[in-house]
Amino acid sequence: MKVSELKSKGLNKSYKVTVPAEEFNKEIDTKLAQIAKKAKIQGFRAGKAPLAMIKKKYLNEVMAEALDDTVRSSSNKVLTDNKLRPVNQPSIKINSFGEGKDLEFDMEVEILPEIKLGDFSKISLDKFTAEVPAEEVDKAVKYLAETRKESVKVDGKKAAKGDVVMIDFVGSVDGVEFNGGKGNDYPLELGSGSFIPGFEDQLIGAEAGAKVDVKVKFPADYHAKDLADKDAVFAVTVKEVREPKAVEINDELAKSLGAESLDKLKETLSARIKADYDNASRMKLKRQLLDILDKEYSFEVPSSLVDAEYKAIVSQYEQAKKYNQLDAEEKSKKEEDLLKEYKEIALRRVKLGLVLSEVGQNAKISIKPEDINAAIMNEAKRYPGQEQMVLDYYLKNKQAVENLKAPIFEEKIIDHIISQAKLNEKIVSVEELYKFDDEKKESKKSAKKSA
């Protein structure tokens, strides 16, 4: 096989490959011989037909197979001999081939860059932590008490803010009912803000049996685009007015929530809040590290990977735009400016992904069954009371388990780097711990990687 390098630029390499006729013919003859052993030709026993007849009948089919196999093996040899790490399968252009002819083809391939890793022990990171304030625990207990709050029916009472009204309602726009605008026996807490702005206020003062036409205007950013910014009328029937009944915060409440006592409930809640703080601390630590790696490493990034990441981000943006789910910051910017930002995010993600991948390979980091089990258990803990349902989901869904591997691998690599870096422990306020202003843009378009 003869290989000559054509014009190449950066990570894009081009080669001209020539496979001598005798090598190509040998591949064809080998495949014909394999067919001849089993082929059934009229007038001959299986495997006994003359090779000339086999060749006449199967040559075109065999030549196509030989072409595919020879091009594949030859292009792989080019990659191996030149120690190239391809981003994707090489692009092949066949120039000439045929029985008794040299096989000639051009091969183009984009390769991964060489990355020389630095000394991670020279990296210095601030690790922010925060103590759990007692008032945060009390706030959490009060919230749980609110979820257990009951209401009692009061006859002859005019509904006030904080009361619960049992209502039937039918919504219409220009006199026509719309999908999702109808409900029966709906318990609505006045002042909760759970309905369209202005809806609940118009029911204050209503008594059981009252019929009220509630007139509202859907917000301009309402999730259903066909209703956004439109005037609507809800025909509401108030069936009951109920007063909230306060729930005492005591051991009985704690027991109803599965805790031994109020003190034990507070301990559990404090641990959960601390776990949230630890997650925020980890996020800030990881962001610092990625920012440092982004600054320290400079190399050409494969354009095809950047393009793929950019398309994924833009796809998310287009979906959010279609369903009117863009946030205020995105709406305030010109689309061309947003797309430019997304291109920069895509470039950063791919670049950092390549650096982390190189670290993982260099450190021989692998994913073990216990890593996956721990990730599934952590996922289950996010849904108190539904742990078994989450576990069953992963047990029955192999693809869901596969989807866990990439983030697990990344986190293990991050841990590997952090273990070598210098950590500066800093105790900060909860507000400072959760300050992620510089990461808003990045977090909104988390297409594939957290980098």
Side-chain angles (χ1 to χ4, degrees):
M1 182 177 74
K2 181 181 178 182
V3 180
S4 56
E5 187 170 353
L6 301 176
K7 185 178 180 181
S8 298
K9 184 178 180 181
L11 299 177
N12 296 294
K13 304 292 183 182
S14 299
Y15 298 91
K16 184 178 184 63
V17 182
T18 302
V19 179
E22 54 267 26
E23 287 186 30
F24 187 46
N25 284 344
K26 185 178 180 180
E27 184 70 22
I28 294 173
D29 292 341
T30 299
K31 292 186 178 297
L32 286 171
Q34 291 173 347
I35 292 175
K37 292 178 182 179
K38 300 178 181 179
K40 294 181 180 180
I41 303 292
Q42 189 173 3
F44 298 91
R45 285 182 297 158
K48 297 299 182 179
L51 188 59
M53 295 186 70
I54 298 294
K55 187 173 185 179
K56 183 177 180 181
K57 183 174 182 180
Y58 293 102
L59 181 59
N60 289 339
E61 176 185 331
V62 165
M63 189 175 292
E65 291 181 6
L67 179 65
D68 287 343
D69 290 348
T70 305
V71 167
R72 187 182 305 111
S73 61
S74 300
S75 57
N76 285 339
K77 191 173 188 309
V78 173
L79 296 175
T80 302
D81 290 349
N82 290 278
K83 297 180 181 180
L84 303 177
R85 297 188 300 167
V87 173
N88 297 303
Q89 285 296 321
S91 174
I92 304 296
K93 178 187 176 185
I94 306 296
N95 296 322
S96 68
F97 75 99
E99 188 182 10
K101 295 182 179 180
D102 291 347
L103 165 60
E104 294 182 358
F105 65 89
D106 292 340
M107 167 183 166
E108 292 184 5
V109 62
E110 186 177 33
I111 62 172
L112 294 171
E114 290 186 18
I115 302 172
K116 190 173 182 180
L117 298 176
D119 184 356
F120 297 135
S121 66
K122 294 181 179 179
I123 293 177
S124 180
L125 300 169
D126 291 330
K127 183 178 180 181
F128 299 99
T129 58
E131 301 298 330
V132 180
E135 55 266 29
E136 281 298 312
V137 178
D138 291 339
K139 190 188 298 183
V141 173
K142 288 179 182 178
Y143 172 79
L144 290 175
E146 283 291 311
T147 64
R148 294 288 170 136
K149 183 173 66 177
E150 297 179 350
S151 60
V152 292
K153 179 182 176 183
V154 181
D155 293 327
K157 184 181 188 304
K158 292 184 178 182
K161 192 172 183 179
D163 289 343
V164 174
V165 289
M166 297 294 291
I167 60 173
D168 293 344
F169 59 89
V170 178
S172 61
V173 172
D174 295 330
V176 180
E177 291 184 25
F178 55 85
N179 290 333
K182 188 174 183 179
N184 292 311
D185 294 322
Y186 189 93
L188 175 62
E189 181 182 342
L190 301 184
S192 65
S194 55
F195 269 31
I196 302 167
F199 189 105
E200 296 165 22
D201 293 341
Q202 295 177 56
L203 295 179
I204 292 176
E207 299 181 46
K211 296 183 181 296
V212 183
D213 284 341
V214 175
K215 299 177 181 179
V216 294
K217 188 182 185 70
F218 282 100
D221 59 352
Y222 194 66
H223 62 84
K225 291 187 71 174
D226 57 329
L227 296 175
D229 209 30
K230 289 188 177 180
D231 293 317
V233 177
F234 286 84
V236 179
T237 300
V238 179
K239 302 174 80 171
E240 291 181 5
V241 176
R242 307 178 69 90
E243 280 186 342
K245 182 181 178 182
V247 176
E248 289 188 42
I249 297 177
N250 52 26
D251 288 342
E252 290 304 313
L253 170 66
K255 289 176 182 178
S256 73
L257 293 165
E260 294 179 13
S261 64
L262 182 58
D263 287 341
K264 288 292 184 182
L265 176 62
K266 288 184 176 182
E267 286 179 16
T268 300
L269 292 174
S270 180
R272 287 183 184 175
I273 295 170
K274 186 64 170 68
D276 289 340
Y277 289 1
D278 290 343
N279 286 334
S281 175
R282 166 75 176 192
M283 287 175 64
K284 292 181 81 72
L285 189 64
K286 181 177 178 180
R287 179 57 51 192
Q288 282 183 73
L289 175 59
L290 293 176
D291 286 345
I292 289 172
L293 295 178
D294 186 33
K295 291 178 182 177
E296 285 193 356
Y297 289 88
S298 179
F299 51 83
E300 186 178 355
V301 179
S303 59
S304 62
L305 295 181
V306 177
D307 290 343
E309 186 71 27
Y310 174 68
K311 286 178 182 177
I313 296 173
V314 172
S315 177
Q316 284 192 333
Y317 164 72
E318 293 291 351
Q319 282 292 103
K321 183 180 177 182
K322 179 180 179 181
Y323 293 103
N324 203 19
Q325 294 174 341
L326 297 177
D327 61 27
E329 183 184 354
E330 290 168 319
K331 289 179 180 178
S332 68
K333 294 183 178 180
K334 293 181 180 178
E335 186 168 76
E336 60 185 284
D337 293 333
L338 277 174
L339 296 180
K340 185 179 179 181
E341 287 180 7
Y342 298 158
K343 193 74 172 183
E344 292 170 356
I345 291 173
L347 178 61
R348 172 188 164 97
R349 287 216 186 113
V350 174
K351 176 185 174 182
L352 289 173
L354 291 173
V355 172
L356 295 180
S357 178
E358 191 72 22
V359 174
Q361 291 182 37
N362 191 61
K364 294 182 172 57
I365 294 173
S366 60
I367 300 174
K368 299 175 182 177
E370 51 264 36
D371 296 325
I372 295 175
N373 292 338
I376 292 174
M377 292 304 296
N378 286 335
E379 192 68 17
K381 289 177 182 177
R382 292 176 55 199
Y383 302 92
Q386 302 178 56
E387 290 89 348
Q388 190 57 50
M389 184 178 71
V390 175
L391 295 176
D392 289 342
Y393 170 74
Y394 282 103
L395 187 64
K396 298 174 184 177
N397 193 330
K398 290 184 179 179
Q399 187 56 51
V401 175
E402 285 298 313
N403 292 341
L404 289 174
K405 290 184 178 180
I408 290 173
F409 186 57
E410 180 177 292
E411 292 305 314
K412 291 190 75 170
I413 295 169
I414 294 294
D415 285 338
H416 173 75
I417 300 174
I418 290 176
S419 69
Q420 299 177 56
K422 179 185 177 182
L423 295 184
N424 307 307
E425 300 273 354
K426 291 187 176 182
I427 297 178
V428 297
S429 66
V430 176
E431 291 75 19
E432 180 66 22
L433 182 65
Y434 279 94
K435 188 177 179 181
F436 291 98
D437 291 345
D438 293 337
E439 293 154 43
K440 287 181 180 178
K441 180 179 69 177
E442 180 71 14
S443 62
K444 285 172 191 167
K445 294 286 171 279
S446 54
K448 291 187 242 180
K449 307 179 185 72
S450 61

